[in-house]
Every structure is written in structure tokens, then in C-alpha cells.
Amino acid sequence: MPMINADGCLLNVQVDGRDGGPTLMLSNSLGCTLQMWEPQMKALTQMFRVIRYDRRGHGKSSVPPGPYSMERFGRDVLAILDDLNIEKVHWCGLSMGGMVGQWLGANAPERFNKLILSNTSCYYPDPTNWLNRIKAVKDGGIAAVADTVISGWLTADFREREPQITANMKAMLLASPVEGYLACCEALSTLDQRALLPKIKSPTLVIAGRQDMATPVSAAEMIRSGIPGASMTLLDAAHISNVEQSHAFTEAVAGFLTQR
Ligand SMILES: O=C(O)CC1=CCC(=O)O1
């Protein structure tokens, strides 16, 4: 699968599924690789050509020095679409992937059909949590924050019921390149995309997790009410809702993308 050059950064891109069908692009959360979408792949590849990629600083993509920004992440996506010669896609991004989706929906509307913005935020009023996390990771590596992060990703019930999936998610987080992780946290610490929301004209579905403390339902509601005509679906999940409620998540995505 191709490594695509975006302004000197090599991005690991994987394309699967129905050739020539409508295309869906999936975009990952902080500390996750394109593997986070495995629970959706069987169903979604029967309906769509599915593009996944590792955001710069993650997975098999290269790790250029920061600072990173939502604009940079958005331009990386446009470079992927240009390289693959794809005019227009549906977008589904979770957490940081949803933030990049907001930037793209407002700044490159001609490249996107429908948008799904899951477990995400447009604004962090207080950067303290991100600054504390940056300090903890600089001092002790990602291991210093891993248990706290995982308890935000998945509810206690799910972690108890699914220890192997939980261990796999933790291994993915721990394998993140530290420099890339820190550069992403820095971009998150200054996030404010509130002014972009009214510019988004694509049909948009916001997905939120009732138990998501990282990007709570109130953050999802701010996005839903800011984007003209957007709708919202609530799932019984913490932050990584596509893993915790994989079937309900896939159904919400497929239902929204196929509805006329
Ligand atoms: O990883 C986390 O702690 C939660 C999160 C917030 C933004 C994002 O991408 O992940």
C-alpha cells in the first residue's frame, strides 16, 4: 500500500474495499493507528472503497518535528486524495479525526460529500489537561499516561468484559512515537475551531458517547448546533466508541451514508 508524500512527510495509506464504489475516508484518534478501524472494515468494505491512513507522527507514517496543526493535518488529507486521484469522499473521523474533518468541511467543501464527526470537540476552553499530559509524557514517556488514557477510551465495564481488546488498544497507544504524540497534544492544547462550524455545508452526523469524558456529549452538542442541519447519534460508550460499540457505530455510519 502506498506511502504518500505530503509536504515532505511520508504518510502510510491503506485502500481496501469496493473498487469504483463511493469512497469513505477514515481518520484516527490520538495515539491510534489506522488499525483502530478494524471492527468496521468487514462491513464498510462491502459498501465502499475505504481509505485509511496513519496521521503524521503516528503508526508507519513519518514523524516530522512539530508544531503540527489542524490545517497541516487537513492538507495531509488533501495530498492523499490528490495522489490517489480521488475527487470527493465521505469522511468519518473520530476524536482528532473529527477535528480534522471540521477543518476539511469548512476549508475544502468541494472534496467531501457527507461528514461523520465522532467523539470529538471543536474547542478546549482550558489547555491545562493537555499541558499536564505533555509534561507527563516528556518526563515518563507514554507509559506514564497510558492507564489514564485507556480508562478514558473504554468504560470499566468494557475493559472487564474485553481484556484482550483492551490490551490491544493499550499496546497500540504505547507503540506511538513519542515525538509525534507530543506534537499532536500541542496542536490539541490550542484547538479552537468554533468559527469553522457555520461554514460546514456538507450533511453531517455527530456521534457521541454517553460515557465519553474526553469529548463529552456537551462538546458534541456544541458541534451539532454549530453546523447547519447536523444530526446527532448517542452511543453507550466512552471515547473510542467505534471499538466499544462496534456494531452500533458501523450501523450509524452505514445508515447515514446510504440515506438519501
Ligand atoms: O486520547 C485521549 O485521551 C482522548 C483524545 C482527545 C483528543 C483525541 O484525539 O483523543
Side-chain angles (χ1 to χ4, degrees), residues 118-135:
S118 183
N119 298 83
T120 192
S121 186
C122 62
Y123 171 56
Y124 290 111
D126 180 1
T128 308
N129 285 343
W130 291 112
L131 299 177
N132 288 344
R133 191 181 302 190
I134 289 166
K135 182 172 180 341

Side-chain angles (χ1 to χ4, degrees), residues 105-175:
N107 289 290
E110 70 287 357
R111 307 300 293 270
F112 296 90
N113 284 310
K114 294 185 178 181
L115 299 180
I116 299 169
L117 308 175
S118 183
N119 298 83
T120 192
S121 186
C122 62
Y123 171 56
Y124 290 111
D126 180 1
T128 308
N129 285 343
W130 291 112
L131 299 177
N132 288 344
R133 191 181 302 190
I134 289 166
K135 182 172 180 341
V137 171
K138 279 185 178 162
D139 290 348
I142 294 179
V145 300
D147 286 335
T148 309
V149 169
I150 292 294
S151 68
W153 281 8
L154 304 164
T155 62
D157 278 357
F158 182 88
R159 284 179 271 136
E160 203 174 311
R161 204 168 60 242
E162 298 287 358
Q164 190 55 57
I165 297 176
T166 303
N168 294 345
M169 294 299 288
K170 186 170 176 182
M172 180 164 59
L173 172 65
L174 288 170

Side-chain angles (χ1 to χ4, degrees), residues 28-31 55 94-97 99 119-120 124 130 133 148-150 152-153 173 181 188 212 214-215 239-240:
N28 49 296
S29 185
L30 173 67
R55 177 169 305 112
L94 190 142
S95 197
M96 279 192 86
M99 297 166 194
N119 298 83
T120 192
Y124 290 111
W130 291 112
R133 191 181 302 190
T148 309
V149 169
I150 292 294
W153 281 8
L173 172 65
Y181 189 86
L188 289 167
D212 185 351
T215 51
H239 191 60
I240 309 287

Side-chain angles (χ1 to χ4, degrees), residues 57-103:
H58 282 75
K60 295 186 179 136
S61 292
S62 48
V63 188
Y68 300 168
S69 65
M70 289 305 144
E71 176 173 0
R72 183 61 264 164
F73 297 137
R75 295 203 181 283
D76 288 349
V77 170
L78 298 176
I80 293 171
L81 295 183
D82 289 345
D83 190 279
L84 296 175
N85 221 356
I86 295 175
E87 185 83 29
K88 212 163 180 176
V89 295
H90 296 306
W91 178 266
C92 175
L94 190 142
S95 197
M96 279 192 86
M99 297 166 194
V100 180
Q102 293 162 39
W103 189 91

Side-chain angles (χ1 to χ4, degrees), residues 7-63:
D7 196 36
C9 175
L10 289 182
L11 297 170
N12 178 41
V13 177
Q14 190 154 334
V15 184
D16 300 282
R18 271 189 58 189
D19 240 1
T23 303
L24 168 63
M25 190 156 186
L26 302 174
S27 181
N28 49 296
S29 185
L30 173 67
C32 293
T33 69
L34 54 75
Q35 295 295 333
M36 74 172 280
W37 298 106
E38 268 328 302
Q40 278 67 52
M41 290 306 286
K42 186 160 182 254
L44 293 181
T45 50
Q46 285 166 26
M47 308 166 76
F48 303 102
R49 173 168 55 172
V50 179
I51 306 173
R52 294 177 288 169
Y53 71 105
D54 291 329
R55 177 169 305 112
R56 62 173 57 213
H58 282 75
K60 295 186 179 136
S61 292
S62 48
V63 188

